[in-house]
Amino acid sequence: MKKSRIIRYLAYVTFILILFCILPGGSLAARDSSEHGNGVQYDGESVTGSGNNEKDSIEEVNGTDSSYPEKVQGQDKVQTEVQVQAEVQDRISAYKLERKQIQEELQLQKDEYRGAKEDFLEVRNQIRAGKLDSDSEEAVNATRLYLNSSINYMILYLENVKTNIQHSNGNGTEERIAAIDENIRLLKAEQAEVENASSQQEFVVTVRSVRGVWNNSQKASLIGAGQTVSERIGEFLDKSGDLSEKLETDIESLNATGVNTADLETRLTSYKLYLKSAQEKKEAADAIYDDENATRENLGVANNYLRESLNNVNRANQILRVIFDDLKEYNFEEVNEIGVENSTETEFNNTIST
């Protein structure tokens, strides 16, 4: 049974929603310093969630058959499509709500971190000025609060990454989630050490351990999320290539009947060019992910390549909609089922586009 455009568009909207969310934005970075042996320093960078580029453009399906059985069949089809639409929209809404809640929690934790950092810096200045002993109760408590708020932020950030990967349903998802859980466990273990520390020197040791766990988890989450997105883009581009061939055949058939297909051919060429650009950006990102010596800065570049790839997919699909409309004028059948899985579940989890 062939798929209608309404399901294709819904799947595409979901594709875009999921991928923008999976790609990590920034992170809270941590480093330690112990000038004159007194105190611990962290430098915080904001974590930015990725934007959601959604287009809820859905065409109305109208039945034109005259026979009663065909009308009934058409009505059943429309009813099924409306049901699918509602289910997909409910799942998208639930996912958006979950992400909104996580982002709000991240912002609250970020504010707590900033407040603790300000208190810590004030105490550190007093220590440097000789007005406060580095291992005094006030200094130790300020440092402990600062480190706890930093680790809490890191843990929440990783929980956010884990949620996004869970929704992606990519290859190796379970392994990536297990790795994130292990890093969260290690951070919580270091948090216990923070609670037990009674001097600045003990805090310095803990900070170094936290920094190592954090850097490893950051790199792993960037690679894991990026590879997941890249896999889904690859699957989508493969199906789009098959669709291009089908469209080319249909346009040639029209042209053989004497129809002027110049505009259709131009649009198809543009569609193919955007897909080609998307493939090139994807391959550039993959080359970085496959480099064992890639730094976090390199991974950030790969992340941007994927965003460009997804933007090209977006533009290609906008052209595709126009092509579908043009073919509809000539009473062409739907350009079959390429690019869309059968079940709503796989549409939500497996289709991707930025």
Side-chain angles (χ1 to χ4, degrees):
M1 179 180 176
K2 66 187 181 187
K3 294 287 190 289
S4 69
R5 266 178 288 185
I6 190 168
I7 299 181
R8 284 198 179 91
Y9 291 169
L10 284 171
Y12 175 60
V13 169
T14 305
F15 181 49
I16 289 180
L17 173 66
I18 298 295
L19 280 197
F20 266 134
C21 294
I22 293 172
L23 292 176
S27 64
L28 182 73
R31 71 181 181 184
D32 64 283
S33 79
S34 50
E35 295 183 42
H36 310 296
N38 295 325
V40 182
Q41 167 105 33
Y42 271 18
D43 286 340
E45 298 175 0
S46 65
V47 173
T48 56
S50 41
N52 294 331
N53 177 20
E54 295 179 58
K55 294 193 173 190
D56 296 322
S57 169
I58 301 171
E59 289 191 331
E60 180 180 358
V61 179
N62 295 314
T64 57
D65 296 335
S66 58
S67 67
Y68 180 75
E70 289 175 341
K71 281 184 178 180
V72 171
Q73 185 180 13
Q75 289 170 357
D76 289 343
K77 184 178 177 181
V78 171
Q79 186 175 4
T80 300
E81 288 166 355
V82 170
Q83 244 176 344
V84 170
Q85 175 187 353
E87 289 173 1
V88 173
Q89 290 298 338
D90 286 346
R91 292 177 69 81
I92 291 175
S93 298
Y95 181 58
K96 287 170 65 178
L97 179 60
E98 183 178 0
R99 278 196 52 77
K100 180 181 178 182
Q101 291 172 340
I102 291 176
Q103 292 301 320
E104 289 174 351
E105 291 174 9
L106 277 169
Q107 186 58 52
L108 289 173
Q109 189 59 53
K110 188 176 182 180
D111 293 340
E112 181 180 322
Y113 162 80
R114 286 174 172 169
K117 181 178 180 181
E118 289 177 4
D119 293 340
F120 169 74
L121 293 178
E122 184 177 341
V123 166
R124 191 185 63 174
N125 289 336
Q126 292 182 38
I127 293 173
R128 288 178 173 177
K131 298 179 180 179
L132 187 67
D133 184 83
S134 63
D135 291 330
S136 66
E137 183 178 357
E138 182 180 354
V140 168
N141 287 339
T143 304
R144 179 179 290 112
L145 181 61
Y146 177 45
L147 293 179
N148 268 327
S149 64
S150 301
I151 296 174
N152 283 336
Y153 191 93
M154 295 173 187
I155 291 172
L156 191 56
Y157 174 82
L158 293 179
E159 291 284 1
N160 183 40
V161 173
K162 185 170 75 170
T163 297
N164 291 332
I165 291 179
Q166 284 172 331
H167 281 285
S168 74
N169 196 28
N171 295 328
T173 296
E174 292 182 1
E175 291 81 358
R176 287 164 185 161
I177 290 175
I180 292 175
D181 285 336
E182 175 61 14
N183 283 316
I184 290 174
R185 186 191 68 78
L186 292 174
L187 286 172
K188 288 181 177 179
E190 294 300 336
Q191 201 164 32
E193 294 298 321
V194 170
E195 290 299 323
N196 295 328
S198 59
S199 68
Q200 297 294 338
Q201 188 57 41
E202 291 178 0
F203 284 133
V204 169
V205 174
T206 301
V207 166
R208 288 171 180 161
S209 297
V210 169
R211 183 185 180 190
V213 174
W214 179 239
N215 287 341
N216 290 337
S217 62
Q218 266 290 297
K219 186 172 180 179
S221 64
L222 284 170
I223 293 175
Q227 288 177 333
T228 297
V229 172
S230 181
E231 289 166 6
R232 313 314 287 170
I233 292 175
E235 293 173 8
F236 187 86
L237 290 176
D238 287 343
K239 293 175 181 178
S240 296
D242 294 338
L243 180 57
S244 294
E245 294 178 5
K246 172 65 176 172
L247 287 170
E248 191 167 3
T249 300
D250 289 341
I251 292 173
E252 288 175 357
S253 298
L254 268 180
N255 187 263
T257 65
V259 174
N260 184 350
T261 58
D263 288 344
L264 278 169
E265 291 170 7
T266 299
R267 291 189 181 103
L268 182 58
T269 298
S270 296
Y271 175 70
K272 290 179 177 179
L273 287 174
Y274 277 123
L275 293 179
K276 180 182 178 182
S277 180
Q279 181 66 35
E280 290 172 350
K281 295 299 182 181
K282 174 191 176 301
E283 291 173 356
D286 289 341
I288 296 176
Y289 293 132
D290 291 339
D291 183 2
E292 294 182 356
N293 298 317
T295 64
R296 282 191 295 177
E297 288 72 22
N298 296 145
L299 295 174
V301 172
N303 189 318
N304 288 332
Y305 280 143
L306 286 186
R307 290 182 181 279
E308 291 177 27
S309 178
L310 290 166
N311 282 331
N312 283 319
V313 169
N314 183 14
R315 294 187 181 98
N317 277 277
Q318 290 172 354
I319 295 173
L320 186 61
R321 295 177 184 180
V322 178
I323 293 176
F324 279 152
D325 285 340
D326 289 346
L327 291 176
K328 185 179 178 182
E329 280 184 36
Y330 300 102
N331 296 319
F332 257 71
E333 291 186 354
E334 289 282 354
V335 191
N336 72 57
E337 307 170 349
I338 298 172
V340 181
E341 302 295 334
N342 287 330
S343 70
T344 303
E345 185 67 25
T346 53
E347 283 172 2
F348 183 79
N349 289 317
N350 289 346
T351 29
I352 294 182
S353 111
T354 268

